[in-house]
Amino acid sequence: MKIRLTLIALFVFNLTLTSLLSAQSDQGKKVKTRYLQLPNYELNSVDVGAISVDYAVGPSAFGQEKLKDTKSMCVPKGGGLKDVVEVTTYYYEVPFDQPASYMVAKDGQGNVVYAEEVTAPTPSVAKFGFDECKNWVAETVKKSWAKDQAKFKSNVSATEASRIDELVNQSVRTNVFPSFFYEEFKVYTAKGKSFDYAELDEGQTMALSAYESFQDQGPNADGMEKLRTAIQVWEKELEALDTDNKKSRINKSIGKGLYENLTNAYMYVYDLKKAIKAGNAGMELYGNFSNDRSNALAARVSQLRSRQLGVSKTQ
């Protein structure tokens, strides 16, 4: 009886393994490429080389400091980690306004081609002497504040200036000048012993070749044509998508890969409307399930929506 049960278990295991091996699923290959991001104005009517950028930052006002206390984990003088104790320490909470900042880009004739409020005025709080064990007596932090408050406020203002400067530079790169960004993702085909996926393999090969050419040359006519041909292949195959049958030639697993292909490809041929539509369709196949791929697809769709305005103004 024991031997018979073992044979049955082995038969079931082999049957399951065979089923898994013959099931249809997607198969991806990684590619490194780069995308030319277009600015938020009409490229054909502006000399990009003559554009100048200015920005202004409002004042960073400080409010009245307030003495606060907190619990800090401190090591007594001469002690070690085993001697750590919880101590009440004191600090100053200093209200301040994160300043507004504005960026303006102008063409060679002084016409505004892009303007943005990069940061809005925002109430915030800075902490002086926070979680410092030396401030276990209130008088200690009071003396430090009297001595170093000007330096502290200067440092806070400098940190804010650096933060805003980086945000402005990021906005300039994104919205004012054409710029490349580099990325890596997978291009999918399908595998399964029961069906022929030669066309999907060919579509994958063409797309990989196109993306590799973008990495070397930037957008080029040959690469764009290959990508558009691959798009036609994927769109045609998705007409046979059957999400309810795992054994169908184009099942849900394969459909996810094809929609990811279309999302990226439509973005690279600057048809962001169709890229967003494909991304949303792919997200529907994931439903409530979440993993690295679904999260990356959601992030891509969000990214596409933010770029849609810039592309529409340059076509």
Side-chain angles (χ1 to χ4, degrees):
M1 178 65 70
K2 191 172 183 180
I3 294 174
R4 185 177 179 183
L5 288 174
T6 302
L7 290 174
I8 291 173
L10 286 172
F11 173 76
V12 172
F13 173 77
N14 286 331
L15 183 63
T16 303
L17 181 60
T18 301
S19 176
L20 287 173
L21 289 174
S22 62
Q24 293 73 254
S25 61
D26 61 358
Q27 186 175 39
K29 286 185 179 180
K30 283 186 177 181
V31 64
K32 292 182 179 180
T33 188
R34 60 175 177 166
Y35 178 77
L36 180 61
Q37 185 165 291
L38 302 176
N40 275 324
Y41 56 84
E42 175 56 63
L43 275 176
N44 295 329
S45 62
V46 176
D47 179 2
V48 175
I51 288 178
S52 60
V53 178
D54 296 305
Y55 75 94
V57 181
S60 180
F62 290 86
Q64 181 63 45
E65 69 277 4
K66 295 180 182 179
L67 187 65
K68 300 280 186 175
D69 64 74
T70 188
K71 297 296 183 181
S72 301
M73 303 307 294
C74 300
V75 179
K77 187 176 182 179
L81 291 177
K82 67 180 186 301
D83 304 311
V84 170
V85 293
E86 187 178 70
V87 177
T88 297
T89 59
Y90 297 87
Y91 68 97
Y92 274 116
E93 189 177 83
V94 187
F96 77 100
D97 294 328
Q98 291 180 321
S101 61
Y102 305 89
M103 183 266 288
V104 177
K106 298 179 180 179
D107 63 17
Q109 287 71 47
N111 300 311
V112 174
V113 296
Y114 184 79
E116 178 187 357
E117 181 185 48
V118 181
T119 58
T122 307
S124 187
V125 172
K127 296 178 179 179
F128 176 86
F130 179 74
D131 202 22
E132 293 185 13
C133 291
K134 68 177 182 179
N135 294 329
W136 61 277
V137 176
E139 288 302 317
T140 303
V141 74
K142 288 180 180 179
K143 290 180 181 178
S144 296
W145 175 251
K147 176 184 176 184
D148 297 328
Q149 61 175 293
K151 181 179 178 181
F152 173 77
K153 291 178 180 179
S154 176
N155 288 340
V156 171
S157 296
T159 299
E160 278 300 297
S162 295
R163 180 183 73 89
I164 291 172
D165 188 63
E166 176 55 34
L167 291 173
V168 170
N169 286 333
Q170 181 178 327
S171 180
V172 169
R173 291 193 297 268
T174 301
N175 299 304
V176 178
F177 297 107
S179 60
F180 282 105
F181 71 85
Y182 296 80
E183 59 180 2
E184 182 178 28
F185 51 79
K186 286 185 177 181
V187 180
Y188 291 92
T189 182
K191 63 177 181 179
K193 294 183 178 180
S194 303
F195 297 101
D196 178 14
Y197 292 111
E199 284 193 54
L200 282 178
D201 290 340
E202 186 178 350
Q204 181 193 50
T205 299
M206 284 189 295
L208 290 171
S209 176
Y211 289 128
E212 287 167 357
S213 74
F214 298 155
Q215 169 83 342
D216 296 333
Q217 309 167 35
N220 61 86
D222 182 59
M224 288 291 189
E225 184 59 31
K226 285 181 179 177
L227 207 50
R228 290 190 179 98
T229 302
I231 285 173
Q232 291 176 358
V233 171
W234 299 327
E235 290 282 18
K236 179 183 175 183
E237 293 285 4
L238 279 168
E239 292 176 3
L241 174 63
D242 185 349
T243 59
D244 298 322
N245 183 4
K246 292 182 179 179
K247 295 183 179 180
S248 64
R249 181 175 178 277
I250 306 297
N251 58 20
K252 183 184 289 188
S253 173
I254 294 170
K256 291 174 183 177
L258 298 185
Y259 276 125
E260 287 180 46
N261 287 353
L262 287 173
T263 303
N264 292 324
Y266 275 128
M267 186 187 88
Y268 272 78
V269 299
Y270 298 99
D271 193 337
L272 299 199
K273 185 176 181 180
K274 288 185 178 179
I276 292 170
K277 182 179 178 181
N280 286 333
M283 290 300 298
E284 286 182 12
L285 295 185
Y286 282 99
N288 294 326
F289 178 75
S290 177
N291 60 13
D292 289 343
R293 277 180 65 179
S294 67
N295 291 335
L297 185 57
R300 176 69 100 194
V301 171
S302 177
Q303 180 186 56
L304 288 166
R305 288 198 178 101
S306 69
R307 289 184 185 147
Q308 210 169 6
L309 176 63
V311 173
S312 66
K313 287 184 176 181
T314 57
Q315 288 182 327

